[in-house]
Amino acid sequence: MIAAGSAGVDGPASALVALPVLLPLFAAGLKLGVGVRLQRTQRVISTVVLSTVLAVALVLLIDADRYGPQVMYAGGWKPPVGIVLVADRLSALMLVISSSVTLCVLLYSIGQGMADREEGTPMSVFHPAYLVLVAGVSDTFLAGDLFNLYVGFEIMLTASYVLLTLGGTVTRIRAGATYAIVSLLSSVLFLAAVAVVYSATGTVTMAELARRFDELPGGVAVLAQISLLTVFCTKAAVFPLAAWLPDSYPTAPAPVTAVFAGLLTKVGIYAILRTQTLLFPGDRLSDALMVLALLSLLVGILGAVAQTDLKRLLSFTLVSHIGFMVFGIALATRAGFSGSIFYVVHHITVQTTLFLVVGLVERRGVTTDLRRLGGIAKLSPALGLVFFVPAMNLAGVPPLSGFLGKFGLLRAGVAHGGAMTYVLIAAGSATSLLTLYALAKAWNLGFWRAAPPQLYVVGVVLDTVETDEESPREPAAVSEAGASSGGSGAVDVDVLAGRSEAASFGGRAITTGQPPAAMLGPTAALVAFGLAFTVFAGPLSSLTVRVADELTARTPYVTAVTGR
């Protein structure tokens, strides 16, 4: 059990470092004890806990920026006996962004549950699993040793599998199995890498490893670096280790897909950034990372251009834009790290927002197939607006933060120089144009053009039928089924009002008109949050430069943890 211990640094907030891990875990246990009862109380618990985690993260960021890394030793025991949690500028910044995003997604999911009248399972499962996922993410960002980092990934994996298979449909179970197998294989490799590192150095504390890796034979250090990079690139969905992502994420409910796409892949990027700067400084594997970045940029965006389903299109753009972040890390310069961190912060918010919007589109337009969608902007201008703004931000249209992040990375590349760097700059520019093309196609087909006449028909919709995405039924077929059953749950509605099956947590058909305000509100808040990165780009850029300075110096982190 983790307990508050003595602080390694006398910063005012060092006693708070463990709270982002402990509070969600405690709340998850409490909610499991409550079960399906007291739904309103459960919602209040989740909201209060995640709001508190966000407040703690803000305090940690201010303190880490002002006083240096904040350190807590679990149980008061210092390494190698105890576990150390560290909140430096990078981990605190990632905590603030992840807490903001998970709070908005939680509010969206509460709105969806209320709109769908989900009173029991799976909502009683979703909330505890979601809180465990948040605890795993926080533990990963705060971990001061490799084994605790491994534990953080395992906590995320456990919660992720539950969330991916929520509803129990065949498609979700199959996608969840693929995700679990890939994650377990990478976990086995991670554990083996931790064992190799411990046998070679006698410690897994990253601050100690920063010193001891310099004394190891080159071959051992390279083996450890390659093993860890393979694991983290799989988590981050770097090509060619991203084949599992486009088939896994789109099958989950909208809030789950949103938080997975926006946040979980960035946990892998965070781990790459942390280990490359602290344990393996320099540019030893930079060429290999640049090749991976190039492949991710090009293969991902070409896959996105070829898609006709909005969820899969966004999933492929996710793989592509991971390439931008890896490019910044591969440069191994202060400007490259700063640009990569800025882009990570921007991308978490924008990608999460877009997948939440897709969940609303699915409710409103029945499907996410662009060939069958149309007229969404006319039917719901608010829905069109919350898609258009983050879509243009993702594409990098000036002066939005997506443009500023890419510009910073390309400028860092020009300063670095080299043939491979210029190839990546050209690939990044082409990727931006193709992203704009793919998203403009999605906008024109799904939102702007007139609705296809076969999509909106008047009929009968079952509002309690169990669904199976393996055999999607056309509206007419559903109407006939409802009419023939003449039984439970059949209601006469105008399908023009909108209906979605896959958007439901429980696999039940839903009837709805305009997007529920309780779901649209958190989505709009995330849109505004993404725009704030443009308005406050100057202070944010200055912060990412200070983060990069701390990462390249290494000394503040090592001194704060070891006291030497």
Side-chain angles (χ1 to χ4, degrees):
M1 175 179 177
I2 297 177
S6 61
V9 170
D10 293 332
S14 57
L16 305 176
V17 174
L19 290 183
V21 182
L22 293 180
L23 285 178
L25 285 178
F26 177 76
L30 181 62
K31 292 165 76 68
L32 283 174
V34 173
V36 298
R37 298 163 293 172
L38 306 174
Q39 290 292 314
R40 181 173 296 179
T41 302
Q42 293 216 27
R43 292 169 186 143
V44 170
I45 292 173
S46 298
T47 306
V48 169
V49 165
L50 292 193
S51 300
T52 305
V53 170
L54 173 59
V56 169
L58 283 168
V59 172
L60 288 175
L61 177 59
I62 293 170
D63 253 28
D65 192 32
R66 183 175 299 170
Y67 301 106
Q70 302 297 299
V71 183
M72 170 171 277
Y73 303 109
W77 295 91
K78 292 189 176 183
V81 178
I83 297 172
V84 60
L85 298 177
V86 187
D88 64 348
R89 288 191 180 109
L90 176 62
S91 53
L93 176 61
M94 294 297 288
L95 269 180
V96 169
I97 302 302
S98 66
S99 303
S100 305
V101 166
T102 51
L103 177 59
C104 287
V105 172
L106 174 75
L107 296 176
Y108 178 100
S109 68
I110 290 174
Q112 181 171 346
M114 294 170 65
D116 299 350
R117 305 186 301 280
E118 303 274 19
E119 296 297 335
T121 308
M123 284 304 293
S124 60
V125 176
F126 171 80
H127 280 255
Y130 188 74
L131 289 170
V132 172
L133 180 77
V134 172
V137 171
S138 299
D139 191 39
T140 303
F141 289 149
L142 294 171
D145 63 78
L146 287 179
F147 187 75
N148 196 25
L149 187 64
Y150 167 80
V151 172
F153 277 128
E154 291 307 294
I155 294 173
M156 285 193 297
L157 171 63
T158 304
S160 300
Y161 185 68
V162 174
L163 292 170
L164 269 178
T165 56
L166 211 58
T169 61
V170 174
T171 304
R172 287 179 186 171
I173 291 176
R174 185 170 58 202
T178 303
Y179 175 81
I181 290 171
V182 172
S183 298
L184 286 173
L185 289 175
S186 65
S187 295
V188 170
L189 179 59
F190 193 1
L191 198 57
V194 172
V196 169
V197 169
Y198 184 76
S199 63
T201 63
T203 184
V204 290
T205 304
M206 286 191 272
E208 292 286 352
L209 288 173
R211 292 171 171 166
R212 299 188 189 183
F213 264 126
D214 295 337
E215 303 166 0
L216 287 178
V220 177
V222 170
L223 175 64
Q225 188 176 8
I226 291 175
S227 300
L228 293 175
L229 266 181
T230 304
V231 172
F232 300 147
C233 284
T234 304
K235 303 289 185 186
V238 177
F239 188 86
L241 302 171
W244 54 273
L245 190 147
D247 291 328
S248 297
Y249 283 6
T251 63
V256 177
T257 304
V259 78
F260 278 26
L263 192 55
L264 293 199
T265 49
K266 310 311 182 302
V267 173
I269 291 294
Y270 166 83
I272 295 173
L273 193 55
R274 173 68 69 194
T275 52
Q276 286 296 108
T277 53
L278 185 61
L279 307 186
F280 312 107
D283 56 357
R284 185 160 46 198
L285 292 181
S286 287
D287 290 342
L289 283 174
M290 284 194 180
V291 172
L292 294 177
L294 178 65
L295 292 174
S296 298
L297 283 169
L298 296 180
V299 175
I301 198 59
L302 291 176
V305 169
Q307 298 305 310
T308 56
D309 182 272
L310 190 51
K311 283 183 177 179
R312 289 182 63 83
L313 186 154
L314 290 175
S315 296
F316 275 99
T317 63
L318 170 61
V319 174
S320 174
H321 285 231
I322 288 292
F324 282 110
M325 305 166 209
V326 176
F327 172 45
I329 298 173
L331 292 175
T333 63
R334 174 172 168 267
F337 293 142
S338 173
S340 185
I341 295 164
F342 188 100
Y343 202 80
V344 167
V345 169
H346 142 82
H347 198 263
I348 287 174
T349 309
V350 171
Q351 194 78 40
T352 304
T353 308
L354 285 171
F355 272 104
L356 290 183
V357 175
V358 170
L360 292 170
V361 168
E362 195 171 22
R363 294 176 66 87
R364 191 65 184 81
V366 180
T367 179
T368 55
D369 189 338
L370 292 170
R371 295 168 298 185
R372 298 175 56 201
L373 280 173
I376 296 292
K378 182 178 180 181
L379 293 167
S380 178
L383 192 51
L385 183 64
V386 295
F387 176 83
F388 184 79
V389 174
M392 293 301 100
N393 204 347
L394 182 68
V397 173
L400 298 171
S401 57
F403 167 79
L404 298 174
K406 290 171 186 172
F407 180 75
L409 285 168
L410 298 185
R411 188 173 60 179
V414 171
H416 181 276
M420 189 62 189
T421 304
Y422 286 112
V423 170
L424 269 162
I425 291 173
S429 303
T431 297
S432 295
L433 293 176
L434 288 173
T435 303
L436 181 60
Y437 166 77
L439 292 172
K441 181 183 76 173
W443 169 259
N444 288 331
L445 292 178
F447 291 81
W448 197 247
R449 70 169 175 169
Q454 70 274 17
L455 177 60
Y456 301 108
V457 295
V458 177
V460 179
V461 176
L462 294 177
D463 70 347
T464 57
V465 67
E466 292 294 327
T467 63
D468 182 356
E469 290 102 336
E470 284 291 288
S471 55
R473 288 176 290 184
E474 296 296 328
V478 175
S479 301
E480 292 172 3
S484 62
S485 68
S488 63
V491 291
D492 291 325
V493 298
D494 185 347
V495 180
L496 185 60
R499 180 183 66 82
S500 173
E501 295 175 354
S504 168
F505 277 118
R508 300 187 307 178
I510 304 162
T511 58
T512 181
Q514 291 297 319
M519 298 172 67
L520 192 58
T523 309
L526 273 181
V527 173
F529 191 41
L531 288 176
F533 295 149
T534 302
V535 177
F536 300 102
L540 178 60
S541 180
S542 299
L543 176 60
T544 59
V545 168
R546 294 198 296 276
V547 173
D549 285 338
E550 191 174 67
L551 289 176
T552 50
R554 297 201 298 164
T555 305
Y557 187 100
V558 174
T559 303
V561 175
T562 64
R564 303 190 299 273

